[in-house]
Amino acid sequence: MYAYCDQPVRHLDSGSRFVLHAMRVWVDAVQHRTCPPRALMIAMPQRELVPVIGDLHGMMLRLHSHGSTPMPFGELKHPAITEGEAMMLSLWAMIAADEPEHSRASIEALVSETAASPMQAAMVRAAACLSAVGLAPVGRMAVGTASGAGE
């Protein structure tokens, strides 16, 4: 988690930037009292990503409804990764790396016991779909930007 906190969003790999943006879109939709799945659909016009929408919505809904701690997310264009986002990006990287024991322990620290299994299953399905289209949310910093290149 600490590898991500307060880091620039542009330093994330494309898959992690994608899930970060999707989570922010979901939170923004809830704050504006609009439909989160519709907002996600608009935010990702690629047809191959449509199956991910339901799992992203389910995961965020469980985090929102069954969360054990407040999870602050940044505004859509916020340039840095917030603490809540850092926790989620770490979790996404564990899921993408197929570390079920570690990811399960992290999920159980974030949500109620009844929400943990469905949340993990949704994230595993979403990560598999994202991986299939080259967007695995592994969290690594983008090549050539970690040292400040391109700033």
Side-chain angles (χ1 to χ4, degrees):
M1 171 190 131
Y2 296 109
Y4 302 104
C5 200
D6 297 326
Q7 295 298 309
V9 171
R10 71 180 180 279
H11 288 188
L12 293 172
D13 66 82
S14 58
S16 294
R17 277 194 315 269
F18 175 84
V19 296
L20 175 62
H21 182 68
M23 292 185 299
R24 286 178 173 182
V25 164
W26 193 94
V27 169
D28 185 70
V30 169
Q31 289 173 341
H32 287 96
R33 298 178 190 257
T34 60
C35 177
R38 179 166 167 64
L40 288 168
M41 179 74 79
I42 293 167
M44 58 179 86
Q46 304 94 323
R47 292 184 64 112
E48 66 271 11
L49 296 177
V50 170
V52 174
I53 292 171
D55 287 321
L56 287 171
H57 174 62
M59 182 271 304
M60 290 299 290
L61 188 59
R62 284 173 181 86
L63 185 64
H64 178 71
S65 300
H66 300 278
S68 57
T69 183
M71 296 286 291
F73 283 83
E75 298 291 324
L76 288 173
K77 299 288 185 184
H78 188 68
I81 300 166
T82 68
E83 184 177 340
E85 293 166 346
M87 285 190 269
M88 291 305 297
L89 289 169
S90 294
L91 179 55
W92 278 107
M94 283 184 251
I95 296 281
D98 194 25
E99 298 176 1
E101 300 84 20
H102 293 115
S103 60
R104 180 57 182 228
S106 294
I107 291 170
E108 288 175 350
L110 295 175
V111 298
S112 69
E113 186 178 330
T114 59
S117 289
M119 183 172 164
Q120 185 174 25
M123 292 181 80
V124 167
R125 286 189 304 269
C129 185
L130 292 171
S131 294
V133 297
L135 290 174
V138 294
R140 290 190 206 111
M141 299 300 195
V143 177
T145 59
S147 65
E151 291 184 53

